[in-house]
Each structure stands twice: as structure tokens, then as C-alpha cells.
Amino acid sequence: MLWPGAAHAATQADERVMLIGVPGLRWSDLGPDTTPNLWRLAGRSAVGSLSVRTVGRVTCPYDGWLTVSAGVRSAVGYGCGLPPVPEPSGTGAVIPDYGYLHEVAGQRYAGALGEAVRVAGQCTLAIGPGAALALADRSGRVGVYAPSPEQIPSGALTRCRVMAADVDDLIRPYVTGGRLPADGEPLGPQQRAAALRLADAKAGAVLSVLPRETIVLLAGLSDHGGDPHLRVAMMSGENGGRLPGHFLGAASTHRDDITILPDVTATMLSLAGVATPPAVIGVPWQASERRTGGVEAARVELDRADVAGQTIRQAGGVFFTTVAVLQVAFYLAAFLLLRRGRGLTAIRVAAVALASVPVSTYLVNLVGWHRTGTPVLALAGGIVVSALLLAAVALAGPWRRAPLGPLAVVAGVTAAVLAGDLLTGTTLQLNSVMGYSAVVGARYYGLGNIPFALFATSVLLLASTIAHRLTRRGRKGTAVAVVAGLGGFAMILGGWPGVGSDFGGVIAFVPGIAVTAMLIAGKRVSIVKLGALCVAGGVTVMAIAYLDYLRPPGSQTHLGRFVGQVFTGEALEVIGRKFGAMIGTLLNPNLMPVVIAAVAFLVYALLRPEQATAGVLPAAFTHSPALRAGLIGTLISGVVGMLVNDSGAAVLSMALALAVPLTLSVGIRALGAGDPPYDEAGQDPASSSLVSRSN
């Protein structure tokens, strides 16, 4: 939780503010002996993690400083390294070839910070090339420039209230040929330690000349190699501000210990009492209520957050490859065994176990796997154990004899976990292999694209299970109301700003809910109706987004900002970028095999039921027409979700990975699988004809 106004230094206007940028600085670098000046600054500051992602996978110093200048994620557009050295002009300086950023690189917002300060009648002081880039106005000019702290013009520190210093000693040894390394860690521990000592000394020199009342922001503005990391963020608490001993966060991330680069822009302008341009997407840094327990405790926790993000980033590819292999192997084995009417029980167990894996990737975050000495093994082991435990509960409880019993358990747990996570700040999706990570920086809160696929699928399957019981009792109207009510609640939860904040998910969820409800009600679904339902989803999400847009800019999420982009004509660019990302997922070797295998299995099983699956799918749908409606709704939601989300094939593949195995488990149990007959209470031989037919 953040204090909207409790931290004096984060809210008081007309302060003097100094940004010290130390590109490449991580929390693991800091220590009382190795970096004494930075360690002392941390002791009188609120501290947090800085996600430095701009446009590419890693952020170089040029892009980091340019993002501070623009207030939006920015990139120079070519081989990236250090920012250019400015050309002296009077007491100030000019960035060479600055027009390139606007005219060629497409960085239309470059200079927003410096221009806002200039228009407000204030001056800027830049120390070093990166600082000059950050504080330059739209013409590329900075008011007062000094190449080093020792060369600051007399009186500039008291005359200028907006200042920045580029401490590039840590990052400079990494740059070869004007660029950052493409991969690896090119410096050894001793070389990095030497660079850290130089950076600490220069930061200390800057701190030693600042007027006492200056608010200091320190940011590790960029990555230092081929791998992204979380970086250092500090904000000092002079003038009695209640910052020391607290974590530092921002409303932009909805996290009390994580901020983003554009927040630096908004923070500097806010402290200086300068109006923030509408294009700036960041919001001011704020101290949280959560205390750090001391600098060392904070350093350990923030470093572990980076370790967790690194583990998720590195394990993601292996995890999804494993999921793809298991899914394809499952469908192949099921196809071969079901054709022979063998191994039905084994297939059912495997189906429920596979369907238990997705939610286990969130449940594992209930334990501190990233605090162990082997986080990768702890993460993998936790997922496997959680999946096996859930599958055992689904298959061993009193509901096991009902065909829909295990499905209801797995779908219910998945829906409940994701709904609970949304209502409690999405701590389970953060640093999850099926969620998101601040290290990658694509999303920091709310409902991610893969979690949306799982949430929509589990809710529709759970609603179908409830509808099944109601329709068997002749309460079809109530069944339709349950699907609409449960689905509608989940849709609003997933799309509401600040909770789920999922744009494409609402568009996809509306037709999925409506089709499920219509089929249960016995209504026909045409292409025209389906198109109208997709339009209704779009209208719904735009209505939610417009309500978000009506809030103050600092309180808006990306939903409200998209409405603003519609008004400024930038929306088409955003849509085009997301469409390109979606197309790229169609060639993903981990996602498309799941889609192809699951869809091929479904189509063949439905067209050739006896040859393909011994009638398992028809048995499932005969036992529960409501399940058929839920599966069709899930497929529609998955397909639409694939088309309107930048994650593309990930949405459909994960929806299928959950829905199809669970549907097969229902059909196998409906056929009997060698067990005694059953009914909803586990006793009625209602499917004896199906059993005899399969034999």
C-alpha cells in the first residue's frame, strides 16, 4: 500500500531535486564497505526496485536516459550504448543531431521533461552526457551543463531546481565498440568491483556539493549486459520526510517496492512543482507503509526479487517446452489407447494431472521458493508437488465417482486462486512462469494474458458444471442465470481498472459467456450473433476504459490511456504493434504444437468418435450437454482472445491445455472406465448403454 500524501518529500511541490543515474547498478552491488556513499544514501532513503525495460529485451544507457527525457518508453533505434557527448553552448550545451530522435527514430516525446521545465520558467543543470540528454528541451538544449561535479558553474546548484548527474563509471567498462554486449557477463567480479568503487566515488562527489534541502533520486537507469535485471531505486528523505526505512513504489506498478523508468520523469516534475505533460505515462514515486527493517534487510529482499524474476525468465522457455511435449504426448497416447479401448483409467489420471499444472504455477508462490539456494529446483519441485496434490484431491475425494467431479475441483480451484489473486493484489501472478515478471517488464499487476485464458476457461467450465446439475433438475432458467452471473462477475473482475485491467480479455470473455448461456438455454448461435457478441465485448471494454480515462492522469491505467490515444490518433499505432506481436506468436514452437494437437484431437474425435476415442467425447457431451456448451464457449473465448491479445497463440493454447484434458476425463468416467456404475450421488447406472457400446 502506498501513502498518497504521507511522504513529505514525495508530495511537496517546489523542491530542489537531483537525479543521480548510475546505469547498471543492482542491489547486490551495494554494501557498507564496497559502496560507502551509496550505502549511506540508502540509509536515509526509501528504497525499491526499478524496472528499466524500455522497448527491447534489455535497456542500454542511451535508451534509459531517453526514456527519462520523454516520460514514455523510448529507444534510439540503432546499435545502443552510451548517450552522445553534448556540445558546449554558453553555460549550457546542445545534444548533437538531436533532430534525429524526432524525425527518424520516431521518438516524438523526446525532450518532454526539459521542455516542461523550460516552459515553467525554471532552469536545468546537467552533469555528464546522460543527464544532458534527460534534461534537454525539445530543441536538444540544456540550460546549465558540467562534464563533471568539479566543473559545476558557480551558483548553478542553488539557481536550478531540476538537476541530474550521469554516473557512468560502472557501465562504461561494459561498452565495447559503442555498444553493450549482446549476451553474458563480460566483466569478472574484480573488474566490476573496481568500476563500482569509481561510481561510488563520483556519486559521493555529487552528493557532497548538493544543498542540504535537495531531494535525491538515485536510479540504476539501464542494464549492464545481455540479461535484463531489476535495478536500484532510492529517494532521499530530507526536510523531515518519512522516507527512510520504507520501501519505494508507485501507482504505475500497483507495487509498494517496484517503480518504472517513466516514473522518474513524473517524480522530478512533481517535486519541482512543474505540470506533467499528458503524454508522460509515469506517476510520482511514493514511500509505502511497509518498512524495510534496515538497509541490509531491504537489500536482501530486493535482491531476492531480482533473483525470482531472473529464475522465471530463464525457466519460462524450458517450462513451456515441457508443457508442449507433455500435451502432445498425452494426445498421441490417448489417441492410440482409446482406439483400442485400453488404459482409460491411466488416461483419466494423466488428464487431471495435466490440467492441474497451470494453477500450480501460481500456488507455488505461496512458499518462498526464491529464498532457497536452488530456486530453479525449488520452483520446479513446487509446481510438480502442487499439481500432484491437486490431482490426488480431484481424483480421490467423494466427488470422484461423478464424471464432472474432478473437473469441478480443478476448474474451481483454478478459478478461485486467480479470483483471489486479483482481489489481493496479484501476488501469485507476479514472478510466475504462467504470469509475468517485473524483470521482463511487460506487466506488473492485474490479469495477464495467459492467466486470462485460464481464468475464463475455469470459470466457464465451473459454471457449466453448476448448470449441469440445475438442468438435470429442470431449472434451465436458473442455470442460464448462473452462467451469466458467474461469468459476468469474472469478466468485470478481470477487466476492471486497477484490479484485472485486462483489455483484450473482456472482448474475448463476453462472447464466451454469451455462447455458453445461449447453448444451455437451447438457443441457436449464428455467425451474425457471434459477431455481434464480439462487438458487444469491444463496447463493454471501451466503456470501462472510458470510465478509467475520466480519472486524473496519475490514477489511470493503460485502459484509460488507450482512450486518450484514440483521441490523439495514436491508437492505430498501438493496435498495429500488438497485432504484429500476435502474428509472431503463431510461429512459436512451444505454443502452436499444443493448439494443433488439441484441435486436431477434438476435430477427429468428434468426426470419428468410435474410431478415434471409443466414443469418449460423445459420452461426455451425452452425459452433460452443459459441458459441451461450456467447451464451445471456451473455444470461442480462446480464439477471440488469441486475435485481440498480443500474446496471441498463448491464450488459445493455454485454454485448450486446461479444457480438453478435463473434458476427456469426464468422457472416460461417463464410459465407466471399469468402475462400478454411478449417478450424481455415485450410484445410478445412467450410462450403462454407453459402457456396453464401448466394450
Side-chain angles (χ1 to χ4, degrees):
M1 181 178 178
L2 303 174
W3 294 342
H8 170 85
T11 58
Q12 182 70 32
D14 302 335
E15 298 277 10
R16 181 176 285 104
V17 56
M18 164 63 80
L19 167 65
I20 301 178
V22 189
L25 187 66
R26 296 166 52 185
W27 278 106
S28 58
D29 294 326
L30 270 63
D33 299 322
T34 55
T35 57
N37 294 304
L38 296 177
W39 191 258
R40 283 193 295 270
L41 178 63
R44 59 184 178 90
S45 301
V47 296
S49 296
L50 177 65
S51 176
V52 298
R53 187 199 178 201
T54 52
V55 176
R57 188 173 68 90
V58 296
T59 297
C60 68
Y62 197 146
D63 290 351
W65 285 109
L66 183 60
T67 296
V68 173
S69 168
V72 298
R73 289 176 172 176
S74 306
V76 65
Y78 57 82
C80 195
L82 297 174
V85 177
E87 300 171 349
S89 176
T91 59
V94 176
I95 308 298
D97 299 322
Y98 195 76
Y100 169 87
L101 295 174
H102 294 144
E103 299 163 11
V104 180
Q107 302 306 308
R108 69 187 74 175
Y109 299 117
L113 171 57
E115 187 71 15
V117 175
R118 185 190 67 79
V119 170
Q122 298 187 27
C123 73
T124 54
L125 166 63
I127 306 171
L133 178 63
L135 297 183
D137 60 20
R138 294 281 296 174
S139 67
R141 178 178 296 274
V142 63
V144 182
Y145 178 71
S148 68
E150 295 77 17
Q151 297 171 283
I152 299 174
S154 176
L157 289 169
T158 55
R159 187 170 75 255
C160 297
R161 292 213 305 268
V162 180
M163 302 173 285
D166 181 3
V167 178
D168 60 2
D169 302 78
L170 174 59
I171 199 69
R172 191 169 286 277
Y174 286 91
V175 180
T176 56
R179 301 186 181 186
L180 279 181
D183 52 64
E185 176 67 49
L187 296 188
Q190 293 183 340
Q191 293 172 298
R192 185 170 176 86
L196 270 170
R197 286 192 293 271
L198 293 175
D200 182 72
K202 183 180 286 187
V206 173
L207 292 168
S208 67
V209 299
L210 292 178
R212 175 176 171 76
E213 68 274 12
T214 304
I215 301 301
V216 177
L217 313 180
L218 187 136
L221 288 171
S222 80
D223 291 307
H224 67 268
D227 295 325
H229 284 272
L230 293 177
R231 304 293 168 175
V232 172
M234 302 183 198
M235 182 162 66
S236 70
E238 294 288 1
N239 285 345
R242 293 177 58 192
L243 293 178
H246 291 270
F247 283 104
L248 185 66
S252 57
T253 63
H254 286 230
R255 303 289 175 187
D256 65 2
D257 58 357
I258 302 173
T259 67
I260 60 176
L261 273 178
D263 292 339
V264 176
T265 311
T267 304
M268 295 181 73
L269 292 172
S270 175
L271 290 172
V274 176
T276 302
V280 173
I281 66 170
V283 296
W285 286 354
Q286 295 177 320
S288 72
E289 293 181 341
R290 187 160 62 100
R291 298 192 64 86
T292 61
V295 180
E296 177 60 26
R299 185 194 67 80
V300 170
E301 180 170 343
L302 294 171
D303 183 50
R304 283 174 175 169
D306 183 50
V307 170
Q310 291 297 320
T311 302
I312 294 300
R313 187 181 64 83
Q314 295 165 5
V318 175
F319 173 80
F320 281 104
T321 298
T322 302
V323 169
V325 170
L326 290 175
Q327 287 276 328
V328 172
F330 168 75
Y331 291 121
L332 180 60
F335 173 75
L336 295 175
L337 291 173
L338 289 174
R339 291 190 67 183
R340 295 167 173 78
R342 298 177 180 175
L344 297 184
T345 300
I347 295 171
R348 185 177 184 233
V349 171
V352 174
L354 275 180
S356 300
V357 169
V359 71
S360 298
T361 64
Y362 309 119
L363 290 173
V364 71
N365 279 351
L366 293 173
V367 298
W369 56 266
H370 61 286
R371 295 185 176 90
T372 66
T374 54
V376 174
L377 293 178
L379 174 65
I383 292 173
V384 171
V385 170
S386 297
L388 293 178
L389 286 175
L390 177 56
V393 170
L395 291 166
W399 43 76
R400 70 187 184 279
R401 298 177 63 82
L404 288 167
L407 178 147
V409 171
V410 175
V413 169
T414 303
V417 166
L418 288 171
D421 193 39
L422 289 173
L423 292 170
T424 56
T426 56
T427 57
L428 299 183
Q429 290 181 65
L430 182 68
N431 292 329
S432 164
V433 288
M434 282 192 166
Y436 40 79
S437 165
V439 168
V440 175
R443 179 182 275 269
Y444 304 91
Y445 68 95
L447 192 64
N449 289 335
I450 289 178
F452 153 72
L454 299 172
F455 190 43
T457 300
S458 59
V459 167
L460 289 174
L461 292 179
L462 180 62
S464 299
T465 302
I466 299 172
H468 165 79
R469 297 183 64 89
L470 292 171
T471 53
R472 285 176 65 100
R473 297 172 183 175
R475 300 169 62 185
K476 183 178 292 187
T478 305
V480 172
V482 166
V483 172
L486 189 60
F489 171 76
M491 178 199 67
I492 295 298
L493 190 64
W496 199 255
V499 183
S501 301
D502 186 20
F503 192 95
V506 175
I507 301 175
F509 215 160
V510 168
I513 297 166
V515 166
T516 302
M518 290 172 65
L519 291 176
I520 290 175
K523 304 294 185 181
R524 181 175 175 272
V525 179
S526 65
I527 296 296
V528 174
K529 289 181 180 178
L530 185 58
L533 291 171
C534 292
V535 172
V539 171
T540 301
V541 75
M542 286 304 296
I544 295 174
Y546 185 72
L547 292 175
D548 189 31
Y549 174 74
L550 295 178
R551 301 195 297 174
S555 301
Q556 292 176 11
T557 68
H558 65 281
L559 300 177
R561 289 195 294 271
F562 178 76
V563 174
Q565 291 168 330
V566 171
F567 292 148
T568 60
E570 302 171 74
L572 289 178
E573 180 182 336
V574 175
I575 293 172
R577 186 170 64 248
K578 290 184 176 294
F579 180 77
M582 182 274 290
I583 293 297
T585 66
L586 300 182
L587 301 176
N588 188 294
N590 291 331
L591 301 175
M592 288 311 295
V594 177
V595 174
I596 294 170
V599 171
F601 187 88
L602 278 175
V603 171
Y604 189 43
L606 291 174
L607 294 179
R608 301 289 182 85
E610 297 300 332
Q611 297 92 324
T613 63
V616 168
L617 284 181
F621 297 153
T622 298
H623 172 75
S624 177
L627 174 61
R628 175 178 174 273
L631 181 61
I632 293 174
T634 293
L635 293 176
I636 289 172
S637 190
V639 171
V640 176
M642 179 182 72
L643 297 176
V644 300
N645 280 296
D646 51 6
S647 294
V651 175
L652 181 58
S653 64
M654 292 304 105
L656 292 170
L658 179 61
V660 178
L662 287 178
T663 302
L664 284 179
S665 74
V666 174
I668 291 172
R669 186 64 186 91
L671 285 172
D675 293 330
Y678 62 88
D679 63 2
E680 290 302 311
Q683 296 300 325
D684 183 285
S687 61
S688 58
S689 60
L690 293 173
V691 175
S692 61
R693 185 176 65 183
S694 67
N695 293 330

mmCIF file of all heavy atoms in Angstrom, residues 10 105 141 143 176 180 221-222 264 287 388 401 488 502 556 580 607 616 625 644 654 662 667:
data_model
loop_
_atom_site.group_PDB
_atom_site.id
_atom_site.type_symbol
_atom_site.label_atom_id
_atom_site.label_comp_id
_atom_site.label_asym_id
_atom_site.label_seq_id
_atom_site.Cartn_x
_atom_site.Cartn_y
_atom_site.Cartn_z
ATOM 1 N N ALA A 10 7.871 13.219 -1.202
ATOM 2 C CA ALA A 10 7.290 12.716 -2.442
ATOM 3 C C ALA A 10 6.132 13.571 -2.912
ATOM 4 O O ALA A 10 5.644 13.376 -4.007
ATOM 5 C CB ALA A 10 6.834 11.284 -2.244
ATOM 6 N N ALA A 105 14.019 8.514 -35.700
ATOM 7 C CA ALA A 105 13.789 7.446 -34.709
ATOM 8 C C ALA A 105 12.342 7.379 -34.242
ATOM 9 O O ALA A 105 11.952 6.422 -33.579
ATOM 10 C CB ALA A 105 14.708 7.632 -33.504
ATOM 11 N N ARG A 141 18.549 21.398 -26.172
ATOM 12 C CA ARG A 141 19.392 22.286 -25.366
ATOM 13 C C ARG A 141 19.106 22.095 -23.880
ATOM 14 O O ARG A 141 17.953 21.972 -23.470
ATOM 15 C CB ARG A 141 19.142 23.731 -25.759
ATOM 16 C CG ARG A 141 19.926 24.769 -24.949
ATOM 17 C CD ARG A 141 19.649 26.171 -25.445
ATOM 18 N NE ARG A 141 20.126 26.336 -26.802
ATOM 19 C CZ ARG A 141 21.375 26.684 -27.125
ATOM 20 N NH1 ARG A 141 22.266 26.889 -26.164
ATOM 21 N NH2 ARG A 141 21.729 26.810 -28.384
ATOM 22 N N GLY A 143 19.962 23.911 -20.041
ATOM 23 C CA GLY A 143 20.293 25.253 -19.564
ATOM 24 C C GLY A 143 21.698 25.404 -19.037
ATOM 25 O O GLY A 143 22.443 26.298 -19.442
ATOM 26 N N THR A 176 31.640 -1.799 -25.508
ATOM 27 C CA THR A 176 32.722 -2.020 -26.462
ATOM 28 C C THR A 176 32.217 -1.702 -27.859
ATOM 29 O O THR A 176 31.126 -2.115 -28.248
ATOM 30 C CB THR A 176 33.209 -3.486 -26.427
ATOM 31 O OG1 THR A 176 32.102 -4.353 -26.670
ATOM 32 C CG2 THR A 176 33.820 -3.820 -25.077
ATOM 33 N N LEU A 180 26.530 -2.069 -25.908
ATOM 34 C CA LEU A 180 26.530 -3.047 -24.827
ATOM 35 C C LEU A 180 26.744 -4.441 -25.392
ATOM 36 O O LEU A 180 26.396 -4.707 -26.552
ATOM 37 C CB LEU A 180 25.201 -3.013 -24.076
ATOM 38 C CG LEU A 180 24.981 -1.941 -23.015
ATOM 39 C CD1 LEU A 180 23.609 -2.131 -22.394
ATOM 40 C CD2 LEU A 180 26.050 -1.974 -21.942
ATOM 41 N N LEU A 221 19.717 3.220 -14.086
ATOM 42 C CA LEU A 221 18.863 3.509 -15.245
ATOM 43 C C LEU A 221 18.902 2.506 -16.389
ATOM 44 O O LEU A 221 18.112 2.633 -17.321
ATOM 45 C CB LEU A 221 19.239 4.892 -15.813
ATOM 46 C CG LEU A 221 18.820 6.080 -14.952
ATOM 47 C CD1 LEU A 221 19.429 7.354 -15.496
ATOM 48 C CD2 LEU A 221 17.315 6.191 -14.937
ATOM 49 N N SER A 222 19.813 1.555 -16.388
ATOM 50 C CA SER A 222 19.898 0.670 -17.553
ATOM 51 C C SER A 222 20.411 -0.698 -17.143
ATOM 52 O O SER A 222 20.833 -0.920 -16.003
ATOM 53 C CB SER A 222 20.827 1.268 -18.613
ATOM 54 O OG SER A 222 22.189 1.024 -18.281
ATOM 55 N N VAL A 264 10.297 8.199 -13.051
ATOM 56 C CA VAL A 264 11.352 9.147 -12.697
ATOM 57 C C VAL A 264 11.001 10.528 -13.241
ATOM 58 O O VAL A 264 11.148 11.544 -12.553
ATOM 59 C CB VAL A 264 12.710 8.673 -13.255
ATOM 60 C CG1 VAL A 264 13.790 9.714 -12.978
ATOM 61 C CG2 VAL A 264 13.098 7.327 -12.659
ATOM 62 N N ALA A 287 6.622 6.596 -1.006
ATOM 63 C CA ALA A 287 7.026 5.661 0.037
ATOM 64 C C ALA A 287 5.820 4.840 0.453
ATOM 65 O O ALA A 287 4.695 5.333 0.498
ATOM 66 C CB ALA A 287 7.583 6.410 1.243
ATOM 67 N N LEU A 388 0.429 -32.591 -8.406
ATOM 68 C CA LEU A 388 0.096 -33.954 -7.988
ATOM 69 C C LEU A 388 -0.877 -33.956 -6.813
ATOM 70 O O LEU A 388 -1.795 -34.791 -6.757
ATOM 71 C CB LEU A 388 1.369 -34.711 -7.629
ATOM 72 C CG LEU A 388 2.326 -35.010 -8.797
ATOM 73 C CD1 LEU A 388 3.581 -35.715 -8.298
ATOM 74 C CD2 LEU A 388 1.628 -35.856 -9.863
ATOM 75 N N ARG A 401 -16.562 -40.186 -8.153
ATOM 76 C CA ARG A 401 -17.403 -41.127 -8.891
ATOM 77 C C ARG A 401 -18.287 -40.415 -9.900
ATOM 78 O O ARG A 401 -18.729 -41.030 -10.870
ATOM 79 C CB ARG A 401 -18.263 -41.931 -7.901
ATOM 80 C CG ARG A 401 -17.423 -42.761 -6.939
ATOM 81 C CD ARG A 401 -18.301 -43.476 -5.926
ATOM 82 N NE ARG A 401 -19.194 -44.432 -6.569
ATOM 83 C CZ ARG A 401 -18.840 -45.665 -6.940
ATOM 84 N NH1 ARG A 401 -17.599 -46.077 -6.721
ATOM 85 N NH2 ARG A 401 -19.708 -46.476 -7.509
ATOM 86 N N GLY A 488 -20.191 -13.063 -15.779
ATOM 87 C CA GLY A 488 -20.169 -11.606 -15.759
ATOM 88 C C GLY A 488 -19.321 -11.053 -14.632
ATOM 89 O O GLY A 488 -18.561 -10.091 -14.808
ATOM 90 N N ASP A 502 -7.490 -5.913 -17.711
ATOM 91 C CA ASP A 502 -7.211 -6.675 -18.929
ATOM 92 C C ASP A 502 -8.124 -6.185 -20.048
ATOM 93 O O ASP A 502 -9.343 -6.344 -19.975
ATOM 94 C CB ASP A 502 -7.417 -8.171 -18.681
ATOM 95 C CG ASP A 502 -6.990 -9.012 -19.872
ATOM 96 O OD1 ASP A 502 -6.212 -8.513 -20.702
ATOM 97 O OD2 ASP A 502 -7.426 -10.167 -19.976
ATOM 98 N N GLN A 556 -4.879 6.812 -13.800
ATOM 99 C CA GLN A 556 -5.322 5.985 -14.915
ATOM 100 C C GLN A 556 -4.438 4.752 -15.081
ATOM 101 O O GLN A 556 -3.251 4.768 -14.774
ATOM 102 C CB GLN A 556 -5.299 6.794 -16.214
ATOM 103 C CG GLN A 556 -6.309 7.914 -16.291
ATOM 104 C CD GLN A 556 -6.166 8.734 -17.560
ATOM 105 O OE1 GLN A 556 -5.445 8.347 -18.479
ATOM 106 N NE2 GLN A 556 -6.846 9.863 -17.611
ATOM 107 N N GLY A 580 1.126 -7.126 -34.627
ATOM 108 C CA GLY A 580 2.373 -7.736 -35.063
ATOM 109 C C GLY A 580 2.901 -8.743 -34.062
ATOM 110 O O GLY A 580 3.398 -9.812 -34.434
ATOM 111 N N LEU A 607 -15.564 -36.072 -35.274
ATOM 112 C CA LEU A 607 -15.982 -36.563 -36.591
ATOM 113 C C LEU A 607 -15.964 -38.082 -36.665
ATOM 114 O O LEU A 607 -16.792 -38.684 -37.355
ATOM 115 C CB LEU A 607 -15.069 -35.981 -37.679
ATOM 116 C CG LEU A 607 -15.156 -34.462 -37.897
ATOM 117 C CD1 LEU A 607 -14.178 -34.029 -38.991
ATOM 118 C CD2 LEU A 607 -16.580 -34.052 -38.274
ATOM 119 N N VAL A 616 -15.456 -41.376 -26.342
ATOM 120 C CA VAL A 616 -15.279 -40.668 -25.075
ATOM 121 C C VAL A 616 -15.903 -39.281 -25.117
ATOM 122 O O VAL A 616 -16.650 -38.899 -24.209
ATOM 123 C CB VAL A 616 -13.783 -40.591 -24.705
ATOM 124 C CG1 VAL A 616 -13.566 -39.606 -23.568
ATOM 125 C CG2 VAL A 616 -13.283 -41.964 -24.291
ATOM 126 N N PRO A 625 -24.803 -32.071 -21.622
ATOM 127 C CA PRO A 625 -24.867 -31.063 -22.693
ATOM 128 C C PRO A 625 -24.354 -29.707 -22.235
ATOM 129 O O PRO A 625 -23.840 -28.934 -23.039
ATOM 130 C CB PRO A 625 -26.358 -31.013 -23.017
ATOM 131 C CG PRO A 625 -26.885 -32.354 -22.609
ATOM 132 C CD PRO A 625 -26.095 -32.725 -21.394
ATOM 133 N N VAL A 644 -7.163 -10.818 -30.281
ATOM 134 C CA VAL A 644 -7.165 -9.444 -29.764
ATOM 135 C C VAL A 644 -6.081 -9.199 -28.717
ATOM 136 O O VAL A 644 -5.973 -8.082 -28.212
ATOM 137 C CB VAL A 644 -8.546 -9.085 -29.161
ATOM 138 C CG1 VAL A 644 -9.628 -9.190 -30.208
ATOM 139 C CG2 VAL A 644 -8.872 -9.963 -27.957
ATOM 140 N N MET A 654 -3.298 -22.221 -23.938
ATOM 141 C CA MET A 654 -3.498 -22.493 -22.517
ATOM 142 C C MET A 654 -4.961 -22.790 -22.193
ATOM 143 O O MET A 654 -5.263 -23.566 -21.287
ATOM 144 C CB MET A 654 -2.995 -21.327 -21.677
ATOM 145 C CG MET A 654 -1.483 -21.154 -21.723
ATOM 146 S SD MET A 654 -0.574 -22.653 -21.220
ATOM 147 C CE MET A 654 0.018 -23.252 -22.803
ATOM 148 N N LEU A 662 -9.571 -32.025 -19.269
ATOM 149 C CA LEU A 662 -10.660 -32.183 -18.298
ATOM 150 C C LEU A 662 -11.916 -32.744 -18.964
ATOM 151 O O LEU A 662 -12.634 -33.563 -18.369
ATOM 152 C CB LEU A 662 -10.966 -30.837 -17.641
ATOM 153 C CG LEU A 662 -9.932 -30.333 -16.630
ATOM 154 C CD1 LEU A 662 -10.328 -28.961 -16.092
ATOM 155 C CD2 LEU A 662 -9.751 -31.322 -15.484
ATOM 156 N N GLY A 667 -15.521 -37.719 -20.101
ATOM 157 C CA GLY A 667 -15.991 -38.763 -21.015
ATOM 158 C C GLY A 667 -15.556 -40.148 -20.593
ATOM 159 O O GLY A 667 -16.334 -41.111 -20.682
#
